[in-house]
Amino acid sequence: MLVYFCQKCMRQNAQPYCDSCGKALGNPSVRFVWEDSRPALSDPARLGLITRVAAFAVAATVIIMLIIEYIMSGAAAFTSFFKSTGITQTAVALGFLLIILGLLMLLFQGRESVQYMLDPKGVLKRTWIEPTRLKCWSRMIRYDKAAFQPNAEGKPFLLAHEEYLLWQDAARYKLSPRAGRISLYRPYSFLFMVLYLPRHEFDEAAQMVAAKMKGKG
């Protein structure tokens, strides 16, 4: 949703003027805000990250063990290592174990509510959860009742994660209209932030991202 933010009154307005003080609000006040709610386990970006981490861990383990075998056996290690040590089966089992553990962590994280804001300088992403000890543990954050904040219905929520990406720091972006997803990269090959949007909000948000990141698509 396109809104106009009044710095004086610290409030969002649907029109290019402040409903409180009557001040006219120009282009620097323009914001695009929306909210998304989904289980952490349904996030494709996290599932991909789990797979990549598991693959990296398996590759690192195999390389380290091969080096140790080479130190102990010399050049013969390159011909006997994969045949006689059972490393192939061990590596496959380790990979599956890491993926299962990662999926369990996402399952324990439960549903999350994410607030997004595109402003003239960058993108703000805030992730909120209905806090339980298990959800906090699976996200490796502290279960702190003093940090809980009630929503409009009076339910306690906890800010689990917050990140801000300046437009100038983003290396490129990728639009996925069918999935309702905008991916932001920093550096060029590293997925830094994923924005999930309702279909009716996608086109307008995509236009704003494209305007801020000209030549980086």
Side-chain angles (χ1 to χ4, degrees), residues 1-5 12 27-34 115-126 163-165 167 175 182 184 193-197 201-213:
M1 178 177 65
L2 190 68
V3 299
Y4 300 84
F5 184 74
Q12 297 175 355
N27 288 335
S29 68
V30 174
R31 307 283 190 274
F32 197 88
V33 298
W34 74 95
Q115 297 173 336
Y116 301 92
M117 182 177 72
L118 312 182
D119 66 28
K121 294 183 179 180
V123 187
L124 175 65
K125 180 178 180 180
R126 287 175 174 163
E163 54 188 345
Y164 189 79
L165 177 63
W167 296 119
L175 303 179
I182 300 176
L184 302 174
M193 185 185 293
V194 182
L195 317 178
Y196 292 101
L197 301 99
E201 301 273 19
F202 185 88
D203 292 340
E204 196 168 1
Q207 291 174 7
M208 186 171 182
V209 171
K212 295 295 183 180
M213 298 183 61

Side-chain angles (χ1 to χ4, degrees), residues 50-181:
I50 289 174
T51 303
R52 290 193 297 272
V53 169
F56 176 81
V58 168
T61 301
V62 171
I63 291 172
I64 292 172
M65 292 184 68
L66 178 59
I67 292 173
I68 294 174
E69 185 73 13
Y70 175 76
I71 293 173
M72 297 177 62
S73 306
F78 294 103
T79 58
S80 63
F81 182 64
F82 292 98
K83 294 181 179 179
S84 61
T85 61
I87 186 61
T88 303
Q89 297 87 337
T90 302
V92 172
L94 176 61
F96 277 115
L97 177 61
L98 292 175
I99 290 175
I100 291 172
L101 289 176
L103 293 177
L104 284 175
M105 292 287 282
L106 292 182
L107 178 64
F108 294 154
Q109 289 179 12
R111 179 171 289 273
E112 58 190 24
S113 297
V114 186
Q115 297 173 336
Y116 301 92
M117 182 177 72
L118 312 182
D119 66 28
K121 294 183 179 180
V123 187
L124 175 65
K125 180 178 180 180
R126 287 175 174 163
T127 302
W128 298 83
I129 61 172
E130 292 189 57
T132 65
R133 295 188 184 277
L134 181 58
K135 288 181 180 180
C136 291
W137 170 80
S138 62
R139 293 174 182 270
M140 299 182 184
I141 58 177
R142 183 183 176 189
Y143 181 82
D144 183 7
K145 292 185 178 180
F148 295 175
Q149 299 183 38
N151 65 356
E153 300 174 353
K155 295 182 179 179
F157 271 77
L158 175 66
L159 181 61
H161 185 68
E162 182 177 36
E163 54 188 345
Y164 189 79
L165 177 63
L166 295 173
W167 296 119
Q168 64 192 40
D169 290 340
R172 69 182 177 100
Y173 70 95
K174 179 182 178 182
L175 303 179
S176 304
R178 290 186 179 181
R181 183 174 67 241

Side-chain angles (χ1 to χ4, degrees), residues 6-9 13 15-26:
C6 178
Q7 292 283 357
K8 179 181 177 182
C9 301
N13 303 272
Q15 303 296 330
Y17 57 85
C18 181
D19 294 331
S20 180
C21 66
K23 177 183 177 182
L25 304 173

